[in-house]
Amino acid sequence: MRIGGISFKGKNHDKNQDSYLFWKSKNKKLIVLSDGLGSRKYSEIGSKTICESIKQITQETNFEDNFDIKEFLSEIHKTWIKKILKKNINIKDCYATALFCIFCKDKIISVRLGDGFIAFYDENNEYILYDKKEKNFVNETNSISEKFSLNDWEIKILKIQEFKGALICTDGVEIANNNYNNFSKEFLNAYSNKKIKYVKKDIKRWFSEWSKHDDKTLVYMLGWRGKKIWMKI
């Protein structure tokens, strides 16, 4: 499985407030990104720290027996709080979103906190996680903060036999008419039979040409299906 990511700073920001990372071992694959809230003084630290915290707890967790998603997310939150406090920074200055996918054996765990979207696909189905703004105004979003509430997190845990791929983007990646499904299918189809070196180079080419006002970040997890197009748009 091929995994990777890319991020560009927007012209409207002095610093890139987005963060991302990807990691894999023999039995686990992780992609994660975070968008620091622009109104917060150290939002770039908050976004980087939540990515690191998710990676740490993913490495420490057994997802096979008696896995408890509430306990898992609570541990991520506690770890983030501890890491921020060690930096002698006020938690209120570090709010950030958190979106990630974990693939382990025949299971995928997708979690979204705040703006951005996650798309992933199995042999027969498509799944899109995004903020429908039913509870928040357009310019408001949930984020990691002082308090932990499971209700703030959108969670999808599924058994998967044939994993096709996953894509996560911050809201800085502007998709026409919010058509996340078509964009994601086109992305995954385009790279389904490409080597990772080509994938990284080509994404950098077109991604850098998009709107440059806001920070924008994407991470991906690609299945491999030879030369055929395996998802209809």
Side-chain angles (χ1 to χ4, degrees):
M1 187 178 295
R2 296 150 296 154
I3 61 176
I6 190 169
S7 184
F8 284 99
K9 181 181 75 69
K11 289 183 177 180
N12 293 343
H13 295 157
D14 295 329
K15 300 177 182 178
N16 189 343
Q17 295 167 325
D18 289 357
S19 298
Y20 75 95
L21 61 78
F22 49 90
W23 169 82
K24 62 180 178 179
S25 66
K26 183 178 180 180
N27 298 318
K28 302 175 187 175
K29 281 87 176 171
L30 166 70
I31 54 173
V32 55
L33 60 71
S34 173
D35 181 358
L37 271 60
S39 60
R40 305 295 165 164
K41 185 177 181 180
Y42 297 113
S43 60
E44 77 281 1
I45 295 176
S47 67
K48 181 180 180 181
T49 304
I50 188 59
C51 289
E52 293 170 346
S53 300
I54 292 168
K55 177 184 176 182
Q56 177 182 327
I57 303 305
T58 297
Q59 291 173 325
E60 296 172 357
T61 299
N62 178 358
F63 294 99
E64 299 305 312
D65 300 322
N66 300 317
F67 172 65
D68 186 322
I69 186 64
K70 182 178 181 180
E71 181 180 339
F72 175 68
L73 294 176
S74 179
E75 283 301 313
I76 289 172
H77 180 261
K78 291 175 185 177
T79 302
W80 180 78
I81 292 286
K82 289 177 183 178
K83 288 178 180 290
I84 294 296
L85 292 178
K86 282 184 178 180
K87 301 177 190 294
N88 294 317
I89 299 174
N90 194 320
I91 299 295
K92 293 182 182 295
D93 290 329
C94 299
Y95 292 178
T97 67
L99 298 88
F100 63 93
C101 285
I102 301 167
F103 183 76
C104 46
K105 292 188 177 180
D106 61 346
K107 181 189 298 182
I108 187 162
I109 302 163
S110 294
V111 178
R112 180 189 63 81
L113 176 67
D115 283 339
F117 78 87
I118 302 173
F120 67 96
Y121 302 85
D122 65 13
E123 61 273 20
N124 297 313
N125 301 292
E126 53 204 35
Y127 307 92
I128 312 292
L129 282 64
Y130 68 100
D131 191 346
K132 302 174 181 64
K133 299 298 181 183
E134 294 174 347
K135 297 181 180 179
N136 296 319
F137 292 108
V138 173
N139 61 343
E140 292 181 336
T141 190
N142 291 325
S143 64
I144 188 118
S145 59
E146 296 90 346
K147 295 182 180 180
F148 172 78
S149 173
L150 187 64
N151 292 332
D152 291 340
W153 303 73
E154 183 178 9
I155 303 161
K156 185 78 72 173
I157 303 175
L158 295 170
K159 292 277 188 178
I160 289 183
Q161 293 181 351
E162 182 184 6
F163 177 69
K164 293 183 175 181
L167 178 67
I168 311 178
C169 297
T170 58
D171 65 344
V173 180
E174 298 176 1
I175 310 299
N177 300 316
N178 292 335
N179 199 338
Y180 305 126
N181 192 24
N182 277 8
F183 173 78
S184 301
K185 284 183 175 180
E186 289 176 358
F187 181 95
L188 295 171
N189 278 333
Y191 300 120
S192 66
N193 67 332
K194 304 297 184 183
K195 293 183 178 180
I196 191 63
K197 185 176 181 180
Y198 171 86
V199 173
K200 290 180 177 180
K201 183 178 179 181
D202 193 57
I203 292 173
K204 185 177 181 180
R205 173 189 60 78
W206 60 261
F207 198 61
S208 64
E209 297 171 357
W210 278 27
S211 173
K212 299 180 180 179
H213 296 291
D214 195 8
D215 304 334
K216 58 183 186 292
T217 304
L218 67 78
V219 287
Y220 52 87
M221 194 181 295
L222 301 170
W224 187 275
R225 289 294 176 271
K227 295 183 178 181
K228 68 178 179 178
I229 298 298
W230 41 274
M231 285 193 291
K232 293 182 179 181
I233 299 172

